[in-house]
Amino acid sequence: MTSVEPLPGISDAEIDRCRQPLEKAWTLPAKAYTSTEVGALEQQRVLKRSWLPIGRVEQIPEPGDYLCLDLLDQPLMMVRGQDEKVRVMSRICLHRGAPLAEGSGNKKLFVCPYHAWSYQNDGQLKKAPLMDGAEDFDERKCRLPGLKTEIWNGFILVNFDDEATSFAEQSARFGDYFSNYRMDDMQIIRTLEFDSHWNWKVLVENFMEAYHHIAIHARTFEPVYRARDSKIVDHGEPCSILHMPSARKQMAQGFPLIEKLEEWQKTDLLAAVAFPFFLIATQGNSMVWYQILPVGHDRLTLKIHICIPGKNIEIDDFDALADAAAELASIVHHEDIQANDMVWKGLNAPLAQQGRLSPLEKSIWQLNQWWLGRMLGHA
Ligand SMILES: [Fe+2]
């Protein structure tokens, strides 16, 4: 993209304040979050050009397993074919557009409920009944369109841009940083789901700074992961990593530790985002994936997936430990809901103004630089 268009309702002066060095930088203006017009541009310039995580391979372990979801107005299904390959494809019938499936399950054939066209689980049309006389219609040439798909550490990522650089390539150092946690061996053990009425950036920004631990998480996180100790790991990729050293040098409670971690990895908390919103957090015994599915510029579905190494699912007290991990995630997220609700109210206020960033909020600054680069056509 070469043309530079101003962002609707956002002045050059407001953009300049965001683009200052961190020590002088301001937040994005409210319209970057609340404007329908900016949201529509964001979908084209940012979200449809980025790698977006939509699932984990262990959610569809067997040939024929499928899971449906809607992403940026596109009904999709991720399916493991009879050949074991994971594909992400449109679940809209090639005939008159009816959805071929909902929810999840296992199918060798997807049969359209409208006129019974049937598709193999690799997307190939198998049979379209009563189409004799439709000239030049060839079932063999009909296949459900797919999205560019990549498997990374057990995550299934998609990109609406067929020209996109591979996620593994653009995130090589990011991947190395988390390699000890062996996320590809992990499995989802519990999922919490929330319908959230904020722009997705509000959630990402909250996830990526520990400054708010002093107030919002004063009794939960702050005694262990102190705001003032948090720091950003610099690596020059379109990602941000927040390292929260533990003030207590004992091992994490609960599930057994992940094997072969460094000493600091056993105690500390890491939060990370691969822009725009691939959010993970790791501790010594687990990983949490905050899956964002935008439903518009002002709403999203959030699924918090708690993951542990597959072999730890076999331990005796698994259910009690899994419930306890889910309970803690729920308590912390309900604290964050309060924060995000407050921010959303403020951003929608007529007198909303940009605010100064703390140096502890470097991840937000990094996201802002990346977002503005995409939105202004510089990247
Ligand atoms: Fe928080």
Side-chain angles (χ1 to χ4, degrees), residues 35-52:
S35 152
T36 308
E37 293 76 23
V38 173
L41 281 178
E42 178 181 76
Q43 177 151 328
Q44 294 309 318
R45 296 179 183 176
V46 178
L47 302 182
K48 286 203 166 162
R49 297 180 55 219
S50 300
W51 286 103
L52 307 176

Side-chain angles (χ1 to χ4, degrees), residues 234-250:
D234 279 312
H235 49 77
E237 293 179 340
C239 333
S240 188
I241 301 171
L242 173 67
H243 178 194
M244 293 164 272
S246 173
R248 297 179 192 153
K249 289 299 171 197
Q250 79 248 28

Side-chain angles (χ1 to χ4, degrees), residues 27-241:
T27 60
L28 288 174
K31 287 218 163 31
Y33 306 81
T34 61
S35 152
T36 308
E37 293 76 23
V38 173
L41 281 178
E42 178 181 76
Q43 177 151 328
Q44 294 309 318
R45 296 179 183 176
V46 178
L47 302 182
K48 286 203 166 162
R49 297 180 55 219
S50 300
W51 286 103
L52 307 176
I54 61 163
R56 295 267 312 167
V57 290
E58 76 271 13
Q59 292 178 303
I60 47 170
E62 302 296 332
D65 284 352
Y66 68 92
L67 185 60
C68 300
L69 74 157
D70 291 354
L71 184 65
L72 308 182
D73 305 322
Q74 174 60 54
L76 293 171
M77 55 183 177
M78 51 185 221
V79 192
R80 192 178 293 272
Q82 295 310 114
D83 58 358
E84 304 265 340
K85 186 173 174 192
V86 171
R87 296 178 178 83
V88 180
M89 55 185 118
S90 166
R91 66 174 200 280
I92 295 303
C93 182
L94 298 172
H95 173 219
R96 296 269 300 284
L100 296 167
E102 296 296 341
S104 60
N106 183 285
K107 288 183 199 286
K108 261 190 182 167
L109 282 180
F110 290 90
V111 181
C112 179
Y114 200 177
H115 302 89
W117 286 31
S118 58
Y119 298 82
Q120 298 170 186
N121 56 23
D122 63 358
Q124 174 63 47
L125 179 64
K126 186 172 171 73
K127 184 73 187 157
L130 305 181
M131 288 290 284
D132 313 327
E135 285 185 22
D136 299 326
F137 175 71
D138 185 349
E139 289 167 343
R140 292 166 300 178
K141 290 183 179 161
C142 297
R143 176 177 277 277
L144 298 172
L147 287 184
K148 191 177 173 81
T149 302
E150 189 167 328
I151 310 293
W152 182 86
N153 279 301
F155 291 96
I156 302 167
L157 297 129
V158 294
N159 200 316
F160 282 84
D161 178 6
D162 283 332
E163 307 296 312
T165 308
S166 129
F167 182 79
E169 198 176 316
Q170 75 172 42
S171 320
R173 272 170 279 179
F174 182 77
D176 286 346
Y177 194 81
F178 287 96
S179 60
N180 279 358
Y181 294 91
R182 285 171 295 162
M183 293 185 284
D184 53 338
D185 284 341
M186 292 202 177
Q187 295 198 23
I188 296 172
I189 56 163
R190 290 286 187 275
T191 295
L192 311 173
E193 186 166 334
F194 301 88
D195 179 23
S196 305
H197 292 259
W198 322 305
N199 178 268
W200 61 271
K201 295 190 290 299
V202 170
L203 175 61
V204 174
E205 292 174 357
N206 172 264
F207 191 88
M208 287 307 302
E209 51 91 352
Y211 181 19
H212 72 282
H213 290 189
I214 55 171
I216 283 286
H217 303 303
R219 284 190 289 276
T220 48
F221 272 172
E222 179 64 16
V224 188
Y225 307 116
R226 293 184 299 217
R228 64 177 177 275
D229 296 337
S230 67
K231 51 203 171 197
I232 297 301
V233 183
D234 279 312
H235 49 77
E237 293 179 340
C239 333
S240 188
I241 301 171

